[in-house]
Amino acid sequence: MRKMTAALGILAATATYAENRIDVVRPDAPVLAAFGDHKIGVTTMAFTNPDQIDIVNTGDTGEPPRYDRELTIELWYPATDDTAPGGTYTALIRDGVTEATLTGQAARDASPDTSETFPLIIISHGYPGNRFLLSPLAENLASKGYVVASIDHPDSTYDDQTAFGSTLVNRPWDQRFVIDSVTALDGDLGQIIQDDNIAIIGYSMGGYGALIYAGAGVTLLSTKYEWGAPQGLLERNLMGTETHAELADDRVKAVVAFGPWGNNTGFWDAESWAGIEKPLMLIAGEIDDVSQYSAMRGIFDDTVNTTRHLLTFEQANHNAGAPMPPPSESYAVSDVLGYAPFDHYADPVWDNVRMNNISQHFVSGYLDLHLKGDRDKAQYFALTPVATDGVWSVDNDGNKTGEHSYWAGFPNRTAAGLRFETKVAGE
């Protein structure tokens, strides 16, 4: 019987990976990782930002050309109670040519729940990436009463990866344009969105853009890198300029940055960090060799004008917490890349579903606290910094004793490998 049970478990796990499910919540997940009460709808939209500077085709001299910048988004939202859950997405993987079918809970073009309104969340992927990279988090948040817009950033997607300077210049402005576009929607979708209650979630270069948007303009040094933006065009995001000041946005109430890139290469300084006054949560891998963990700790230490948190996955690299589980199509060696795209999603130490569940827990609580005013969620952030220093202590009836200090929301023995630190404004 045990052998049969084990075999069935292996078959179930294999089926899950073959289906590329993005909605898996493990039995040992922290409490806020569970899906919420809302059915989920999803739709694809495209917006055109006219007359933008074409960074990719700008030379070292001469008038920069201009073009209409087209952005595609995936929009998740609470749907009506009679929505039949479940659907699929067709997404390109890291090699830019292979398609993967992802399976989740959202129903394509379902009717929105118009009985109330919901905060808006913007998701911004890495370089390269696409709008599906953080789809496990997007679906999860929509089920809890959020409208979630995830962006395909031109010049930064798997099939459209071009000059890095475009990403450096455009990221915060893409985020701003999508906020403006989504909050201007008409019809049932438009009426359910709270247009003044917004958060930005960014991963890697998406985190870079979110930090600029939050108030941290870049340094003059960073505008002069030869490998950066041509003709000093990054000065649009320079700290202290009128153009950077145009990004100031009272609608944005909180920022979450996974593995944010840039502090490792001189894109910010103390003046930059002083510009962030919005609540900030950083999520990072302890051995991140892309954004550099020490540089991300520097963000945590130096954003002194806001309360901020740092969640650390010990021994995790740059993929900590954000990317979806590797699609089954990513396991084979790609003729385009010369290696298996699996590495783009996975971490050698941590299971992706486990990391996604932990992120879902913390991000859900964080957004509920700052966008919905749910003060009960504060308990999930008053934590012993090193999880394994927490003590699990309950009586015979399962009630916590006075010695109990284990991480709130985590079952016994499940918070190992994590650290969570907080600093308040002025520290």
Side-chain angles (χ1 to χ4, degrees), residues 57-371:
N57 293 303
T58 295
D60 293 335
T61 60
E63 183 69 19
R66 306 188 79 89
Y67 73 133
D68 292 343
R69 186 170 171 84
E70 297 182 358
L71 292 92
T72 300
I73 69 164
E74 205 73 3
L75 192 74
W76 288 266
Y77 52 89
T80 54
D81 288 340
D82 60 354
T83 298
T88 61
Y89 311 85
T90 300
L92 290 177
I93 65 171
R94 171 62 181 88
D95 65 3
V97 296
T98 302
E99 288 187 346
T101 299
L102 312 178
T103 305
Q105 294 194 16
R108 177 64 54 180
D109 298 324
S111 297
D113 176 3
T114 58
S115 65
E116 56 182 305
T117 62
F118 307 96
L120 173 64
I121 312 300
I122 302 297
I123 290 181
S124 185
H125 62 71
Y127 175 86
N130 66 20
R131 65 189 189 274
F132 301 108
L133 187 59
L134 276 68
S135 54
L137 181 58
E139 277 205 351
N140 192 278
L141 291 175
S143 78
K144 295 166 178 170
Y146 292 94
V147 175
V148 184
S150 185
I151 308 168
D152 265 358
H153 291 278
D155 311 321
S156 289
T157 60
Y158 300 133
D159 59 337
D160 182 32
Q161 182 182 355
T162 50
F164 190 50
S166 175
T167 295
L168 293 175
V169 174
N170 285 310
R171 275 310 174 94
W173 298 96
D174 284 352
Q175 293 163 2
R176 176 59 174 264
F177 177 68
V178 169
I179 289 175
D180 290 343
S181 299
V182 172
T183 56
L185 287 173
D186 295 322
D188 287 348
L189 270 176
Q191 78 174 65
I192 71 171
I193 298 170
Q194 296 175 6
D195 60 9
D196 61 350
N197 197 19
I198 301 168
I200 300 176
I201 299 172
Y203 169 49
S204 193
M205 292 310 299
Y208 155 91
L211 292 170
I212 294 173
Y213 200 156
V218 301
T219 61
L220 183 61
L221 173 66
S222 69
T223 69
K224 300 180 182 299
Y225 293 145
E226 291 184 2
W227 48 266
Q231 297 192 34
L233 291 173
L234 186 57
E235 290 183 13
R236 186 181 192 188
N237 301 333
L238 180 63
M239 191 68 185
T241 59
E242 292 183 2
T243 49
H244 177 253
E246 291 174 9
L247 286 172
D249 194 341
D250 291 338
R251 298 172 298 177
V252 175
K253 309 302 184 186
V255 173
V256 178
F258 289 86
W261 183 91
N263 205 36
N264 51 312
T265 51
F267 273 77
W268 295 291
D269 58 16
E271 181 186 2
S272 304
W273 297 130
I276 294 184
E277 298 181 354
K278 300 180 187 298
L280 172 65
M281 182 160 67
L282 302 163
I283 300 176
E286 183 188 36
I287 59 169
D288 188 326
D289 58 9
V290 176
S291 295
Q292 302 291 334
Y293 181 68
S294 60
M296 291 183 286
R297 285 204 66 89
I299 301 173
F300 175 67
D301 290 335
D302 295 341
T303 47
V304 294
N305 289 327
T306 189
T307 295
R308 63 276 192 201
H309 308 291
L310 173 61
L311 171 65
T312 301
F313 288 84
E314 294 178 351
Q315 293 302 302
N317 209 301
H318 188 58
N319 293 341
M324 65 182 178
S328 58
E329 293 84 354
S330 72
Y331 282 58
V333 173
S334 164
D335 292 338
V336 174
L337 299 175
Y339 59 87
F342 174 91
D343 184 60
H344 177 73
Y345 307 91
D347 183 86
V349 175
W350 285 81
D351 170 65
N352 278 79
V353 174
R354 176 68 176 152
M355 290 193 292
N356 289 162
N357 290 167
I358 292 167
S359 297
Q360 288 157 352
H361 168 83
F362 279 104
V363 174
S364 296
Y366 188 70
L367 298 179
D368 283 356
L369 181 63
H370 291 288
L371 274 67

Side-chain angles (χ1 to χ4, degrees), residues 338-411:
Y339 59 87
F342 174 91
D343 184 60
H344 177 73
Y345 307 91
D347 183 86
V349 175
W350 285 81
D351 170 65
N352 278 79
V353 174
R354 176 68 176 152
M355 290 193 292
N356 289 162
N357 290 167
I358 292 167
S359 297
Q360 288 157 352
H361 168 83
F362 279 104
V363 174
S364 296
Y366 188 70
L367 298 179
D368 283 356
L369 181 63
H370 291 288
L371 274 67
K372 295 184 177 181
D374 185 354
R375 299 304 306 173
D376 288 343
K377 295 303 192 321
Q379 65 177 304
Y380 298 108
F381 303 98
L383 305 175
T384 302
V386 179
T388 50
D389 288 343
V391 175
W392 184 273
S393 179
V394 298
D395 60 24
N396 292 335
D397 295 324
N399 299 311
K400 297 173 184 176
T401 71
E403 289 74 36
H404 186 90
S405 60
Y406 206 73
W407 277 19
F410 280 75

